[in-house]
Amino acid sequence: MNNIEKTPVVSKKIILPFILVTSLFALWGFANAVTDPMVNAFKKVLELSNTQASWVQMAFYGGYFCMALPAALFMRKYSYKVGVLIGLGLYASGALLFYPAATTEMFWFFCLGLYILTFGLAFLETAANPYILAMGEKETATQRLNLAQSFNPVGLIAGLLVAKYFVYDKLQSDDIADFSALSETKRAMVRVADLAVIRDPYVVLGLVILGVFVLFLVNKMPQSKAEGTMPSLGATFKGLFKNSKYVLGVFAQILYVGAQIMTWTYIYQYAEAIDLANAGVAGYEKIDVFAYQFVAFILFAVGRVVGTAMLRVMSPGKLLMFFAVLAGAFVAGAIFISGTVGLYCVVGISFCMSLMFPTIYGIALNDLNEEESKVGSAGLVMAIVGGALLPMFQGMIIDAGGSGVADTLIMGVAEVNFSFILPLICFVYIAWYGFHVFNKHEGKTI
């Protein structure tokens, strides 16, 4: 056992800056949660296939990939505060683009708004994560990031509630069994109304973010760019590529984010398949999938708290391995157990995923100096591209038998069940990475 228990996670001297920066974690959590259900919403409103609708996630998480490194290079030269202000400005701009997008009824316009919105999120995450790590001693850095990330589920839950009560419950197309069977005039009327419903939460969000922008603008933040001679960018990249724990961690982060977004996005299609299978059963009531997603986010929040506490007595690599193995067991249940029990397994995955992002992040950056961390954090934020690519692959599996969710069987299970083979593969690698870190870098002492 080391001295983790004796070192404060957050010093009283920097508690206010810690709280201010931590508030940003809820903001991108909200954007994530309110966007995930939009894949299914756009599919119905604009009559898209699962693969086409997955472009929502491609745009959302692709923006992270494209802007993370520029954001890191910018903050390498300028202060974190300026980076946060730019991030908030882009966040608000992307959200406000939903107004003209709804007017034109063009799917690509909505995707453009999400793309720009996540330019802002890339700036915010590239700044906030390494800043939190730097706010104290290295031995408590992973705990500190897990603590800050505990506010992320607050945003997730708020985003989910907004998506349910202000979007899904108001969508006319969701109450129509066969939207394509309506006349063109009726479909056009429903489409206009539903796109306005999708638009409004983002426009309000954009206005709120502008308010947060002003709040950061008028407050003095203690963090500034590092003093002294700055090492060359080439030398920084060379040092990062030689660090196997960092390189393997970036790949683990790609797979983790992909697994998270696949789980949270396709829970809707998973529930839809159960509804279809029981459509002719007397007395059967359609699944309220938002209730299950809400429980998943609650478990995600609880898992963050539990994980942060367990890091006081267990090394990050070992804990990551255990949680990944448990996540793999839940995914296997989702694949091979049909009905609501399988849906319970999908919900249970969220508890296991809760500590993965900040723990992988902390492990990968733990041995880096400040300049390496600024650039290295970009690689870990760019890893969010896993949330753009892997859901599209899962959508392709679900489309194997047609545009439905259970048109054919693969290895004896419905295609939507089988599609969860992708998250399973992701968790197998993450479990190995945790074991590797524990075995090679943590000395098997905890």
Side-chain angles (χ1 to χ4, degrees), residues 16-18 20-21 81 131 135 216 219-224:
L16 181 58
F18 179 83
L20 288 173
V21 177
K81 178 178 179 178
Y131 187 18
M135 285 184 169
F216 268 85
N219 277 278
K220 184 177 181 180
M221 299 296 292
Q223 184 70 19
S224 60

Side-chain angles (χ1 to χ4, degrees), residues 40 43 50 262-263 265-277 331 333-339 342-343 346 349 393-423:
N40 214 32
K43 177 188 173 184
N50 289 298
M262 286 187 287
T263 300
T265 298
Y266 291 109
I267 187 174
Y268 297 91
Q269 283 80 351
Y270 196 98
E272 184 181 346
I274 298 173
D275 287 334
L276 289 172
V331 177
I335 295 172
F336 297 109
I337 302 175
S338 60
L343 186 56
V346 176
I349 298 169
F393 292 145
Q394 188 170 7
M396 291 177 180
I397 294 175
I398 298 173
D399 282 337
S403 60
V405 295
D407 301 305
T408 188
L409 298 179
I410 303 176
M411 295 182 64
V413 298
E415 56 192 352
V416 67
N417 291 60
F418 181 80
S419 71
F420 277 80
I421 191 71
L422 294 181

Side-chain angles (χ1 to χ4, degrees), residues 171-191:
L171 287 179
Q172 297 180 31
S173 57
D174 194 46
D175 298 324
I176 300 172
D178 189 357
F179 187 62
S180 61
L182 299 178
S183 66
E184 180 57 40
T185 300
K186 181 61 176 176
R187 293 212 311 271
M189 292 174 61
V190 172
R191 187 181 302 114

Side-chain angles (χ1 to χ4, degrees), residues 313-327:
V313 296
M314 185 178 292
S315 69
K318 187 175 183 180
L319 191 60
L320 179 66
M321 178 183 65
F322 284 156
F323 270 62
V325 169
L326 183 58

Side-chain angles (χ1 to χ4, degrees), residues 31-44:
N32 276 268
V34 82
T35 300
D36 286 339
M38 294 304 168
V39 175
N40 214 32
F42 278 120
K43 177 188 173 184
K44 293 182 177 181

